[in-house]
Amino acid sequence: MTMENGFIQHALHAQEQDSTQESIKVQVKNLNLFYGEKQALNSINMDIYTKKITALIGPSGCGKSTFLRCINRMNDLVPSCRVEGYIGVDGHDIYDKEIDVVAVRKRVGMVFQQPNPFPKSIYENIAYAPIMHDIVKKGKECDALVERALRGANLWDEVKDKLKDPGTALSGGQQQRLCIARAIAVEPDVILMDEPTSALDPISTEKIENLMLDLKKNYTIIIVTHNMQQAARIADYTAFFHMGNLIEYSDAKTLFVNPKEKKTEDYITGRFG
Amino acid sequence: MPNDKNYFYIPQIKKRNQKATLFKATTLLAIIFSISFLIFFLVDIVRAGYPAFTQTYIQMDVNINEEVVENPYSALKGKNLKIASRAWLRDLPNLIKENPSWMNTTQTLWVLANSEVDQYVKGKESRTHERERVYVDELRADGKVERKFNTIFMTTGDSKIPENSGIYASIVGTVLTIIVTMVIAFPIGVMTAIYLEEFAPDNRWTQVVEVNINNLAAIPSILFGLLGLAIFINFFGVPRSSPLVGGMTLALMCLPVIIVSSKAALKSVPSSIRQAGFGLGLTKWQIVRDHVLPLAMPGIMTGSIISIAHALGETAPLIIVGMIAFVPDAATSFTDASTVLPAQIFTWAGMPEKAYLERTAAGIMVLLVVLLSLNAVAVYLRRKFERKW
Amino acid sequence: MSTQTLYLIFFGGLFPLMFLGYILGRQKAIVMRSQGIKMHSQPDQYGWFSALYTGLPIIMIGVCGVFLYLFGFRAIPASLLVAASLGVGALSLALLIKSIKASTKARDLVEDLINGMLIGASLVSVLTTFGILLSIIFEALQFFKMQSFFNFLFGLEWAPDTAFLEGAGRADAHAAEAKFGAVPIFAGTFYITVIAMFVAIPVGLLSAIFMSEYASSKVRAQVKPFLEILAGIPTVVYGFFAALTVAPLVVKVCNFVGLEAQYQNALSSGIVMGIMIIPFISSLSDDVISSVPQSMRNGAYALGMNQAETIRFVVLPSAMPGIIASMLLAVSRALGETMIVVMAAGLRPNLTLNPLEDMTTVTVKIVEALTGDQEFNNPLTLSAFALGLVLFVVTLVINIISVSTIRSFHRKYKVSTL
Ligand SMILES: Nc1ncnc2c1ncn2[C@@H]1O[C@H](COP(=O)(O)OP(=O)(O)O)[C@@H](O)[C@H]1O
Ligand SMILES: [Mg+2]
């Protein structure tokens, strides 16, 4: 990967705002994760701040997705996976035995690399989960929620006349925004995004990046990206992972301009990865 | 610390989880239904069939003289004649020929009981007369009634006399039929697969052939019988009821299975092997013959064994080409009239005598054992040679 | 000379000649090579070349001869044909051996022939389909010459008992007219199929869901053989079970609740047929459900749906086209199923909605018409082919629809959803 000076400049100007009085949304303490015998994450400690965008970067296979999936317990679906340590959302241990994983995922939504709309209408794609969670009742209330979610995902104007069309008929970028709308419709606190733009064209990517900057007013966003320019453009905080270790974690400006660790510097200057 | 439960509270979560559990239980129930049906079914068949593997013999005095050779029924008297098997008596002259020293003596022999007495001894519903029942009970008390292993069932063909009927002839018929089937279907099937997988250009015609094979696999088997009847028998004059016509008909039916499994086996051979062959300057056919085919052989064999198992149990088309003829003697050639085991089962199932009922079930047991062993062999082959490339 | 001896002579000549061809061809190539001549192909290939091209004309003449005989052209005695074919074979053998030169492309010629043989083999399956179609159509046309097509498809009464008179040219005067209205037969077929589907679809689909979504790979490996055994039981065995265990059971239960059932009834054959089809539906649906990409499920889980909700809202709708197609295939299986209905459903065309009565089906009537004495001028015998034609057309249409649906389904999920 060749280094471009441009994005460092970008990072410098991106978020010039005050970052002193942050509150912690997600707290990760001493997290170890194993796939069978193989350890994929080594004692990760990390505080993720409320209503900020936190980007996770690192070479592929370093455990970014694995870490992200811990935060809404998607790893429960992998039979060989074992998690040790503590993850708290607003101070509540999500791995507590008393807690239903369904409730965790309602609080912590997720958007995937490949847009995966359900084989249903656009309306149903969004409405099904909120109705199930008893957030709204069917009818007017629900219509309003669907509109709100679609507006929130900057998709309303494009689809308002074809809510009955199948979600799969939309373009790739629209599908991804539909997935985001679907995620915000259940009113989560945190939204996880695993390389949400890597399957999209540049124009769609830009739209989604802008959307994330909008969403951050209301949600805490954690995004995995292999695209450092993207991290530099939108992230408030950035964490660099390498071989299952959290090497460096700080505000984006510091990490990109003034990394403390040699490995981080090597990575962002394109010496490996 | 705030209350975790309230923070992660979703109304109705209990109800949703209950519903989910219920749904899962329903799916489990469906599986359990299938499995318990299978067990019930197997138990039912075995219960109905195992008595057929023994047969009642009664020790009685048999008069042997010149007259008996002419008229075997005169060998026994009174009640003995009523409970003995007519088939046994008919065979008595042969027995006398083998033992000339018996002439003009009275021998105490184990005589095959007739099927009604046999059913009575086995404790089943029977049309035996009350007097004979009492008599049989007396004999039984004297230790003169015995149930011996039923060798007749394994060594004879069909018969109008239940205690004299067996599955031997139909098994011979089945074996001959399957030989014909495989001699035709295996080479043609494998060759078709080789052609389609290795040689065929990707054009319209190839697609037509492939679609056609798929459709062939789903054509009701009885229609293959119509083909056998109209074309093989009526047009080509192949003898009706013969293993030849049955085997040819089944061969066409087996073709799709063999083709599809052979194609899959060929496809699973990695293309690197072919490329290596081309690198050595071999021709396509040489590569296929010497390198691809041997590697695909286990898969091809598995598919072929499974198709044999199919063919073994197939009845409908064989009935149409006449393989339910009444055949007491085993066929000696591919053109003799013959029957097959499933057809024999079908014929016996329609018989009114109860003794045929247990023979039907016993025949089914034999058939199922053969089928299960074939499937086991196929699974074994698949496991043994399963290779992940 | 008997046909068998002729065959014996034919093959007794064919194989030795081919073997001789192999030996001589190979020998000549070896000799030439030892003289330092650079040959186009390997000696073995010259062997195969002479063997195959010796056999080819013999077999061709043999096959032509058989066909000539079949079409009634018997001017040339069969023994002469056999002699001629072998003679030609011997001649071509001699010519071939003589013609082998360094430049003879034995390998290419052999491979051309093999390629031709492979193409020939692949023709057999196509010919089979046409064979079935033609044989059925031909005989069915005979039938429709005697009986009205319209009446066959829409007539309500099937009473063919006097049909043989017509065949014998005595369809006159006092005999009652034979009736070939197949509606009661179609209705019976349809009705029993519906009963079978009532059993097979829920159980099969739920089993498939269990196997693909809930069962661990260990459970799967243990349960699968049971379903495979169920699938491998011959239909005649199911028929026996239907007639001798299930039917009496149904009668008993009905008597108990005050209903009257016949020993041959549509219900028991339908139930058993349904059970027979369970593994069919479950394995096809299992494949389809398993091919729904995991990313679909993840999307649902990430919204806080539990597994059952995910299956119902996401997995099943995604798999639906494939599931429906597999059900259609099952329907065509049920329509064509023979032994169970022959043994447990009855022979009487009976237009009723009562599943406790006996009914008959297309396949039963085909079997009935074609067992025992057959005369191919009797409309009763020929009616089997007319019924077979209907069965063929219906199952073929169903198959084409469902196979193409399943295909496009799998294609859709092989590439990404984008
Ligand atoms: N389901 C799984 N089972 C076993 N190993 C896994 C699984 N998922 C990921 N891994 C392993 O964990 C490591 C981290 O993977 P991942 O989190 O996907 O990396 P990233 O997203 O950073 O590219 C990799 O070595 C990968 O092979
Ligand atoms: Mg990843």
Side-chain angles (χ1 to χ4, degrees):
Chain A
M1 197 193 282
T2 51
M3 173 74 180
E4 276 179 50
N5 266 330
F7 80 81
I8 293 184
Q9 297 303 322
H10 213 106
L12 280 169
H13 299 292
Q15 311 295 334
E16 292 279 341
Q17 58 196 186
D18 183 11
S19 56
T20 42
Q21 353 126 309
E22 311 286 22
S23 73
I24 296 171
K25 187 75 187 178
V26 180
Q27 190 172 37
V28 180
K29 282 193 212 155
N30 210 8
L31 181 76
N32 287 293
L33 184 142
F34 305 83
Y35 286 119
E37 293 293 295
K38 191 183 141 213
Q39 184 156 10
L41 294 175
N42 307 316
S43 45
I44 309 287
N45 288 289
M46 194 168 167
D47 292 337
I48 290 160
Y49 300 103
T50 310
K51 296 187 181 168
K52 298 284 173 217
I53 297 177
T54 305
L56 312 179
I57 60 169
S60 99
C62 67
K64 308 178 295 287
S65 299
T66 300
F67 175 72
L68 198 71
R69 286 200 301 264
C70 288
I71 303 173
N72 70 344
R73 288 180 58 179
M74 285 298 275
N75 279 330
D76 289 16
L77 300 171
V78 182
S80 66
C81 177
R82 200 174 86 244
V83 181
E84 289 169 3
Y86 168 86
I87 298 180
V89 175
D90 283 337
H92 307 276
D93 183 0
I94 62 167
Y95 281 93
D96 190 322
K97 293 237 159 31
E98 298 275 295
I99 289 171
D100 202 300
V101 63
V102 163
V104 174
R105 293 187 191 139
K106 189 202 155 287
R107 286 247 172 210
V108 185
M110 185 161 187
V111 175
F112 300 86
Q113 178 174 8
Q114 288 285 343
N116 52 357
F118 304 136
K120 298 262 178 171
S121 69
I122 294 172
Y123 184 94
E124 285 173 295
N125 257 284
I126 295 172
Y128 188 76
I131 290 173
M132 221 172 42
H133 291 308
D134 227 13
I135 295 170
V136 290
K137 295 269 172 289
K138 273 185 195 149
K140 285 253 161 52
E141 210 185 334
C142 184
D143 297 348
L145 176 83
V146 169
E147 180 173 345
R148 221 179 324 133
L150 283 170
R151 280 190 194 283
N154 293 343
L155 192 59
W156 174 251
D157 293 329
E158 289 158 67
V159 302
K160 63 171 181 261
D161 300 324
K162 46 178 184 178
L163 292 178
K164 292 269 174 300
D165 286 11
T168 42
L170 297 172
S171 75
Q174 288 174 324
Q175 285 188 11
Q176 194 63 302
R177 276 179 285 149
L178 178 64
C179 292
I180 294 173
R182 185 173 80 181
I184 59 183
V186 296
E187 298 173 354
D189 289 346
V190 183
I191 300 175
L192 311 175
M193 299 188 177
D194 193 348
E195 308 196 15
T197 59
S198 68
L200 304 180
D201 58 282
I203 294 172
S204 305
T205 300
E206 196 189 333
K207 281 191 182 153
I208 288 189
E209 283 178 9
N210 292 336
L211 173 59
M212 281 189 266
L213 293 173
D214 285 348
L215 289 175
K216 135 177 141 168
K217 293 182 195 111
N218 298 311
Y219 305 96
T220 304
I221 295 173
I222 309 174
I223 175 175
V224 168
T225 176
H226 61 227
N227 177 339
M228 276 182 285
Q229 285 91 331
Q230 184 172 58
R233 279 195 296 268
I234 61 172
D236 301 299
Y237 291 90
T238 302
F240 171 63
F241 280 77
H242 186 242
M243 291 176 70
N245 295 307
L246 175 58
I247 305 294
E248 186 165 355
Y249 175 47
S250 65
D251 61 286
K253 189 164 71 178
T254 317
L255 190 121
F256 282 115
V257 178
N258 199 4
K260 291 195 185 59
E261 299 289 329
K262 175 87 170 54
K263 275 212 185 92
T264 316
E265 170 141 23
D266 288 351
Y267 182 68
I268 60 176
T269 53
R271 284 199 205 125
F272 69 92
Chain B
M1 266 264 151
N3 187 342
D4 283 343
K5 270 199 182 153
N6 274 341
Y7 183 81
F8 288 113
Y9 175 70
I10 297 181
Q12 306 204 326
I13 186 92
K14 260 221 179 88
K15 217 168 139 196
R16 280 171 58 194
N17 285 345
Q18 271 169 8
K19 262 188 170 168
T21 316
L22 199 68
F23 183 71
K24 183 174 177 180
T26 324
T27 63
L28 183 61
L29 210 66
I31 287 286
I32 291 175
F33 173 82
S34 305
I35 294 178
S36 33
F37 168 82
L38 182 63
I39 291 168
F40 172 62
F41 163 83
L42 290 177
V43 169
D44 188 58
I45 295 289
V46 171
R47 215 192 42 198
Y50 85 91
F53 291 100
T54 62
Q55 186 66 34
T56 306
Y57 284 79
I58 299 173
Q59 199 176 40
M60 48 176 96
D61 292 337
V62 184
N63 298 321
I64 293 168
N65 49 42
E66 288 299 337
E67 197 202 335
V68 170
V69 178
E70 294 300 311
N71 172 20
Y73 296 108
S74 65
L76 295 175
K77 294 209 182 58
K79 287 178 192 159
N80 278 353
L81 186 57
K82 286 249 167 68
I83 60 175
S85 160
R86 284 185 298 132
W88 188 87
L89 283 169
R90 267 192 228 160
D91 194 43
L92 187 57
N94 293 333
L95 206 61
I96 297 172
K97 235 179 253 164
E98 282 168 31
N99 300 284
S101 61
W102 287 0
M103 193 52 82
N104 296 323
T105 59
T106 300
Q107 294 285 330
T108 310
L109 299 174
W110 285 102
V111 175
L112 181 64
N114 71 35
S115 64
E116 294 297 341
V117 170
D118 178 58
Q119 293 292 295
Y120 175 63
V121 171
K122 285 170 181 167
K124 302 214 185 151
E125 203 180 306
S126 151
R127 285 181 298 186
T128 332
H129 202 278
E130 188 56 38
R131 263 172 308 170
E132 282 130 32
R133 291 186 182 205
V134 173
Y135 181 52
V136 170
D137 286 340
E138 279 167 17
L139 289 172
R140 195 148 37 165
D142 294 346
K144 289 185 169 173
V145 175
E146 225 173 66
R147 279 167 67 179
K148 300 187 181 181
F149 182 71
N150 190 354
T151 47
I152 298 170
F153 184 64
M154 297 297 179
T155 52
T156 65
D158 199 1
S159 165
K160 297 288 181 208
I161 304 169
E163 67 271 19
N164 193 41
S165 58
I167 53 172
Y168 177 70
S170 57
I171 284 184
V172 171
T174 295
V175 170
L176 292 177
T177 306
I178 295 297
I179 288 174
V180 175
T181 302
M182 278 300 122
V183 164
I184 297 172
F186 184 79
I188 295 183
V190 174
M191 281 163 74
T192 307
I194 291 175
Y195 177 69
L196 291 176
E197 201 56 44
E198 307 284 337
F199 289 92
D202 189 14
N203 59 19
R204 253 280 146 75
W205 170 246
T206 309
Q207 277 166 19
V208 168
V209 174
E210 302 227 0
V211 168
N212 172 67
I213 287 166
N214 273 324
N215 283 329
L216 205 58
I219 288 179
S221 64
I222 192 171
L223 296 182
F224 286 89
L226 294 188
L227 167 114
L229 178 63
I231 295 199
F232 295 151
I233 297 181
N234 286 352
F235 189 72
F236 284 110
V238 183
R240 199 172 131 84
S241 304
S242 64
L244 185 60
V245 72
M248 286 162 74
T249 308
L250 288 186
L252 299 183
M253 219 190 71
C254 286
L255 262 186
V257 181
I258 297 182
I259 295 174
V260 169
S261 58
S262 303
K263 272 182 65 184
L266 289 168
K267 198 177 232 148
S268 73
V269 176
S271 58
S272 61
I273 295 215
R274 295 180 185 84
Q275 265 133 33
F278 282 124
L280 292 175
L282 299 178
T283 64
K284 205 161 183 182
W285 167 247
Q286 287 169 329
I287 296 167
V288 170
R289 186 191 58 192
D290 297 338
H291 300 282
V292 177
L293 207 52
L295 287 174
M297 233 353 142
I300 293 176
M301 292 310 289
T302 311
S304 304
I305 290 173
I306 287 171
S307 79
I308 289 180
H310 268 242
L312 268 178
E314 197 52 68
T315 323
L318 296 182
I319 290 181
I320 302 292
V321 296
M323 295 196 80
I324 42 166
F326 174 75
V327 183
D329 296 313
T332 51
S333 87
F334 290 106
T335 48
D336 282 356
S338 177
T339 186
V340 287
L341 189 49
Q344 184 71 76
I345 289 169
F346 172 61
T347 325
W348 281 346
M351 293 288 199
E353 290 93 343
K354 281 278 184 291
Y356 283 117
L357 181 81
E358 65 180 37
R359 280 173 174 70
T360 315
I364 289 176
M365 286 166 69
V366 173
L367 183 60
L368 287 183
V369 166
V370 173
L371 292 184
L372 288 182
S373 336
L374 276 178
N375 277 309
V377 171
V379 170
Y380 171 79
L381 271 179
R382 190 160 54 203
R383 294 255 166 89
K384 180 154 182 219
F385 292 99
E386 200 164 54
R387 232 176 299 199
K388 292 268 180 285
W389 299 101
Chain C
M1 250 187 285
S2 79
T3 326
Q4 288 205 352
T5 15
L6 278 176
Y7 275 118
L8 215 65
I9 295 174
F10 181 75
F11 287 108
L14 172 67
F15 289 116
L17 274 175
M18 287 177 70
F19 186 67
L20 194 68
Y22 179 81
I23 299 287
L24 291 178
R26 185 161 168 268
Q27 201 52 43
K28 178 157 183 196
I30 290 175
V31 169
M32 284 172 77
R33 208 152 70 157
S34 67
Q35 292 164 351
I37 304 172
K38 204 165 172 314
M39 304 290 285
H40 173 273
S41 313
Q42 301 290 318
D44 254 14
Q45 289 158 349
Y46 286 97
W48 280 110
F49 163 67
S50 353
L52 290 173
Y53 281 89
T54 303
L56 190 65
I58 304 182
I59 291 171
M60 296 241 282
I61 294 177
V63 170
C64 289
V66 168
F67 269 91
L68 282 180
Y69 262 69
L70 281 172
F71 289 108
F73 182 80
R74 293 167 193 221
I76 315 168
S79 46
L80 198 70
L81 267 175
V82 170
S85 68
L86 292 180
V88 171
L91 193 69
S92 68
L93 170 62
L95 289 176
L96 278 169
I97 300 297
K98 224 174 141 217
S99 74
I100 289 178
K101 288 197 287 282
S103 62
T104 309
K105 294 179 174 163
R107 189 187 63 207
D108 301 359
L109 289 167
V110 166
E111 297 205 347
D112 284 350
L113 193 64
I114 287 172
N115 203 19
M117 279 158 62
L118 293 179
I119 293 177
S122 74
L123 276 178
V124 172
S125 66
V126 179
L127 286 179
T128 305
T129 310
F130 277 99
I132 291 178
L133 191 61
L134 287 182
S135 60
I136 295 176
I137 286 184
F138 182 74
E139 306 286 357
L141 281 180
Q142 303 284 89
F143 176 76
F144 290 123
K145 268 184 211 154
M146 300 185 223
Q147 299 289 330
S148 115
F149 179 68
F150 182 82
N151 196 30
F152 172 75
L153 276 190
F154 301 104
L156 296 182
E157 205 180 335
W158 183 274
D161 292 342
T162 53
F164 71 95
L165 290 175
E166 188 177 341
R170 284 184 45 197
D172 52 352
H174 26 271
E177 192 194 349
K179 295 207 177 85
F180 284 96
V183 168
I185 298 173
F186 298 147
T189 311
F190 181 72
Y191 199 64
I192 290 176
T193 302
V194 168
I195 297 175
M197 289 302 130
F198 261 102
V199 177
I201 290 180
V203 181
L205 185 55
L206 287 170
S207 305
I209 293 173
F210 179 82
M211 295 291 277
S212 58
E213 297 290 310
Y214 288 117
S216 65
S217 57
K218 212 170 132 197
V219 171
R220 222 178 133 89
Q222 279 165 354
V223 173
K224 205 130 199 203
F226 283 97
L227 291 176
E228 275 166 5
I229 293 176
L230 213 52
I233 294 175
T235 58
V236 66
V237 178
Y238 277 114
F240 174 75
F241 185 72
L244 281 119
T245 304
V246 179
L249 208 66
V250 166
V251 171
K252 245 184 236 163
V253 170
C254 287
N255 282 344
F256 186 73
V257 298
L259 288 170
E260 200 174 319
Q262 272 151 350
Y263 270 94
Q264 290 194 317
N265 59 56
L267 187 61
S268 37
S269 42
I271 291 174
V272 173
M273 196 192 278
I275 290 172
M276 180 196 90
I277 291 172
I278 289 172
F280 187 73
I281 291 192
S282 89
S283 82
L284 280 176
S285 306
D286 186 352
D287 288 350
V288 169
I289 293 174
S290 304
S291 67
V292 172
Q294 185 62 30
S295 69
M296 280 288 187
R297 297 183 183 85
N298 286 346
Y301 289 131
L303 291 174
M305 296 189 202
N306 61 36
Q307 198 175 359
E309 288 157 352
T310 303
I311 293 169
R312 283 211 301 249
F313 181 70
V314 177
V315 178
L316 291 185
S318 310
M320 205 35 87
I323 291 175
I324 289 175
S326 69
M327 283 170 188
L328 279 179
L329 277 181
V331 166
S332 103
R333 197 75 186 286
L335 292 174
E337 170 46 39
T338 309
M339 295 319 292
I340 296 176
V341 278
V342 167
M343 295 167 85
L347 290 170
R348 184 167 63 109
N350 183 5
L351 204 53
T352 173
L353 277 178
N354 181 357
L356 302 177
E357 282 185 27
D358 59 333
M359 270 178 212
T360 198
T361 69
V362 170
T363 49
V364 172
K365 283 292 156 194
I366 294 176
V367 169
E368 193 197 6
L370 294 180
T371 45
D373 289 337
Q374 308 163 3
E375 291 159 56
F376 274 74
N377 56 10
N378 181 344
L380 178 56
T381 307
L382 293 173
S383 72
F385 290 89
L387 291 169
L389 182 61
V390 175
L391 185 62
F392 182 86
V393 170
V394 171
T395 51
L396 190 71
V397 168
I398 294 179
N399 288 328
I400 290 176
I401 293 174
S402 51
V403 166
S404 61
T405 316
I406 290 184
R407 282 218 168 157
S408 67
F409 177 82
H410 282 297
R411 214 174 303 133
K412 178 174 156 198
Y413 284 117
K414 221 171 268 167
V415 297
S416 87
T417 46
L418 271 179

